[in-house]
Amino acid sequence: MAVVLTTSRAFPDCEQAQKILTDAGHELKMVTPQKPLKSSELVPMVKGIGAMLAGLDEINADVIQAAAPTLKIIARNGVGYDKVDLKMAREKNIRVTITPGANSLSVCELAFSFITGLSRRIHLMDKSVREKSWQRVSGIELHGKTIGILGTGAIGRHLAVRCRSFGMRVIAYDLHPSQELIEDHGVKYISNLDEIYRQADFISLHLPANPDTWHMINRDTIAKMKPGAFIINTARGELIDDDALYEALNNHYLGGAGLDAFASEPFLDERFFELDNVIMTPHTGAFTKEAADKTLIIAAEEIVRALSGEDNLYQIN
């Protein structure tokens, strides 16, 4: 038997994931924070645990060192792992797993809702009705517009299909183009990001955060975009230079932005709170009942495999 620490807010509501772990004989230590835990908060929690089912918590070297004598696996209930110190986990022989594809539909649907919401300025008209001012705001049709999708993994692929169904032209960037998108959905891959910036009416980010993508949306790249273009980010906040984005939104060079991911969370940059051309959500792309259940079940199954000495299906280190 091992102690399994869970820090996902959704875990207490997923009876199936709980049953998978308890049926295997493991003890649950459930923590339900309102926001991802900092390393200083995690260190006292991880001593003596055998596994961790983690959200977007800061699992750095200090956390891993504190847990290392007993910890066998860190199972992320999602696909991002930039908050986990993979090098230290590898040194301590701790497995790190993810749940690929489990929440891709939910994140895709949020990205698409940003596109439709921004194009029709729904947030502004909702406000006008509530304030009894009854102000109609002119929007744009999506049909015939071009969207540049940067990253066509599971989320980007789903988004491309939905955008095509709305009559949008889809151009994309990915180191590994999808032949299915090319052949079945008419997606055109472009290897030059500058060309995508120049052509796209909407740009949707679906790339990991790493040294190559850090602040890829900056003053220089924004200057290459169409006046009035929209930026959608449901991936990682580190992809965008906040100062550059604020300037382009504030002077209305960009038409708007839909943001679900921020470099620092909770997001406290009050400059953005005054803008009427940005919609922001609290990193909630994967926060649907269906996605939460799928990711938690997969993560629980990966924990059982690791603690039983079996190979994991989605180990990344």
Side-chain angles (χ1 to χ4, degrees):
M1 183 197 77
V3 176
V4 180
L5 172 66
T6 71
T7 60
S8 166
R9 281 175 288 173
F11 186 80
D13 296 324
C14 186
E15 294 182 1
Q16 189 172 347
Q18 294 173 40
K19 188 172 187 300
I20 288 168
L21 293 169
T22 55
D23 282 356
H26 302 305
E27 176 186 342
L28 300 180
K29 180 180 179 181
M30 291 188 283
V31 178
T32 54
Q34 292 305 303
K35 58 184 179 180
L37 294 168
K38 299 292 187 183
S39 59
S40 58
E41 298 173 298
L42 277 172
V43 167
M45 297 181 188
V46 298
K47 294 176 182 177
I49 67 171
M52 181 176 181
L53 196 158
L56 291 167
D57 312 291
E58 184 185 18
I59 308 174
N60 63 11
D62 292 339
V63 176
I64 293 172
Q65 288 276 21
T70 55
L71 185 62
K72 302 300 181 187
I73 178 174
I74 299 165
R76 274 279 295 112
N77 68 321
V79 295
Y81 49 86
D82 47 294
K83 300 294 186 182
V84 182
D85 190 326
L86 294 182
K87 182 174 182 292
M88 181 59 70
R90 191 160 45 243
E91 288 179 7
K92 298 299 182 181
N93 199 30
I94 296 168
R95 304 182 192 186
V96 179
T97 62
I98 59 174
T99 58
N103 60 20
S104 58
L105 270 175
S106 293
V107 179
C108 159
E109 289 179 359
L110 179 64
F112 194 73
S113 72
F114 278 140
I115 294 168
T116 55
L118 287 165
S119 67
R120 294 306 303 267
R121 310 289 189 183
I122 290 174
H123 59 299
L124 297 183
M125 290 187 284
D126 173 82
K127 184 171 181 285
S128 80
V129 173
R130 293 172 188 273
E131 294 177 347
K132 302 181 177 65
S133 61
W134 203 256
Q135 294 295 313
R136 294 175 180 172
V137 182
S138 180
I140 61 172
E141 292 184 352
L142 296 180
H143 185 86
K145 300 299 187 295
T146 296
I147 182 167
I149 298 177
L150 308 189
T152 54
I155 298 168
R157 286 198 299 273
H158 286 309
L159 183 62
V161 172
R162 281 151 183 76
C163 289
R164 286 291 293 145
S165 72
F166 268 60
M168 299 183 76
R169 173 176 176 254
V170 179
I171 56 178
Y173 170 87
D174 199 290
L175 296 177
H176 306 286
S178 165
Q179 288 304 309
E180 177 190 357
L181 289 182
I182 295 170
E183 296 170 6
D184 296 344
H185 301 285
V187 174
K188 180 181 179 181
Y189 279 88
I190 298 176
S191 59
N192 185 336
L193 281 171
D194 288 351
E195 189 59 33
I196 292 180
Y197 297 144
R198 281 190 285 268
Q199 294 187 33
D201 300 294
F202 292 83
I203 293 170
S204 193
L205 307 177
H206 303 282
L207 295 168
N210 58 44
D212 293 329
T213 60
W214 185 84
H215 283 191
M216 64 184 297
I217 303 301
N218 53 54
R219 287 182 178 87
D220 291 339
T221 54
I222 289 173
K224 296 170 183 174
M225 297 177 189
K226 285 183 176 182
F230 297 85
I231 293 176
I232 312 298
N233 186 14
T234 56
R236 287 291 180 264
E238 290 82 359
L239 304 180
I240 296 179
D241 178 338
D242 286 344
D243 290 336
L245 179 62
Y246 171 78
E247 291 171 10
L249 292 170
N250 188 49
N251 64 25
H252 293 279
Y253 179 77
L254 290 177
L259 308 173
D260 185 52
F262 307 88
S264 179
E265 296 178 354
F267 186 61
L268 302 175
D269 190 336
E270 295 189 6
R271 297 177 300 171
F272 284 80
F273 302 165
E274 303 302 319
L275 298 174
D276 65 4
N277 54 355
V278 60
I279 301 175
M280 295 175 285
T281 50
H283 209 139
T284 190
F287 212 66
T288 63
K289 174 62 175 172
E290 294 85 354
D293 284 351
K294 284 185 283 188
T295 58
L296 291 168
I297 289 166
I298 293 172
E301 290 171 342
E302 287 287 72
I303 287 172
V304 171
R305 292 186 187 101
L307 295 178
S308 301
E310 301 175 14
D311 291 338
N312 285 105
L313 299 182
Y314 307 114
Q315 184 174 344
I316 55 159
N317 66 332

